[in-house]
Amino acid sequence: MDAVLQYLQTNQQTALDELFEFLSIPSVSADSAFQPEMQRCAEFVRNAMTKAGLTAEIIPTKGHPIVYGERIEDPSLPTVLVYGHYDVQPPDPLNLWTTPPFEPQIRDGKIFARGATDDKGQLFTHLKSIQAWTETTGKLPVNVKFLIEGEEEVGSDNLEHFLQAHKERLKADVAVISDTSQYGDGIPAITYGLRGIIAAEVRLTGPSKDLHSGIYGGSIANPANAVAKLCGALVGDDGRVQIPGFYDDVAELSAMEKQQFADLPFSETGFLNEIGSGALFGEEGFTTLERRWARPTCDINGIFGGYTGEGPKTIVPSKATAKITCRLVPGQNPEKIMDSLKSFLQERCPPGVKFEFQSFHGCEAFAFDPTSPWITAASEAVETAFGKAPVFIREGGSIPVVSSFQQILGIDTLLLGWGRNTDNLHSPDEHFYVKDFHNGILASTHLWPKLAAVEA
Ligand code: BES
Ligand code: ZN
């Protein structure tokens, strides 16, 4: 172990340099203009796997390629499946970045770049720790399989098929993902639950072209007014989602879990300051952590149509669109919620307005037993590296593969987040603390022998 730790020390700068190279590739999965970059990024990941001592290959899918690598040390050892995603969210709005999103730079101890924390920087820690083990000891304490995909930020549509098709090959005892966050400054966390999601878009079309609102306004339905009405009906003033049946299957929090949430350090003013918001709002009768981690929601992600340029323009627009997501909790079925969302909107669409609904993706929520021996082993590794025992938390974001791992491969996932929720994920000036990057590599290095010792 000493030699491995020494290797990490000696190679800190190299690891950073390589991460910079990774971050310089604009692997934006949502935008087809970046397709060649996705391929280039997959090649980078494959090469990094080979360097780490894995046998690696790029596997094409209907969408962006999957990179798969493995190293089977000894069939009698436990096998760990590591997942990550090399795709990133679009960097827009570009003018709000201090330095360009794909030209990584370190300022104030933080690496700034799109994907720095979500998820390139975090997934890279596992490749670097594996490399440290193989280069110093020539072997690994466990068998590892790495599955790094390029479509997480767009819903992982082709992944389920891949998991079904390669079920035998992907067989493992437990999965590891670093794509979540620490609980707070100096408080590492292991996440045992995430919310699920459905994502959809509603497109309304009125007249065949934009019309003069003085000549025609008031005599036909305006699709922008209509989209506002549809969207406005989704959430009540009490914070409750109004879609019929939305709460029918929601698993309520146990008194014990409510207590565990309440025991975590949390300041409402600190939280509001962090996000630059003036007041809390949410479902009545629940605390902020409960609302964020264990209650379902409905959010409009974008609403547009008609004239959005500078100054006034007097029209009845031809078209208006809204993008909508619901976060789901254990018990809720994504298909069922998608169907009720669609009917809810359709029923409110005025006559003369064409209604089109596109569902993008969906995945279920989950919550694991936080007392499993895998979690205890991971907790020890995190404590050794970060100097503090992790707290056990749930999170409100979604990682679609986790419930698929559970359903298709029958394994639980250890969600070990090295980043922070304040790292500006999906926002301008995304960053990752250099310190969190190195501690992540260290925790990952300690993780493998800890997992090897678990009596499964
Ligand atoms: N890394 C996030 C998920 C996350 C972040 C979970 C912080 C918990 C804490 C992930 O890359 C992500 O953003 N996922 C999407 C999934 C969706 C597009 C299916 C999400 O949650 O919006
Ligand atoms: Zn992510």
Side-chain angles (χ1 to χ4, degrees), residues 235-242 247 281-286 291:
V235 181
D237 290 341
D238 57 358
R240 296 270 295 183
V241 177
Q242 301 298 306
Y247 294 95
F281 173 75
E283 196 185 348
E284 277 170 17
F286 295 92
R291 288 170 178 171

Side-chain angles (χ1 to χ4, degrees), residues 87-100:
D87 66 322
V88 300
Q89 286 271 322
D92 314 73
L94 284 170
N95 60 325
L96 294 184
W97 284 78
T98 310
T99 46

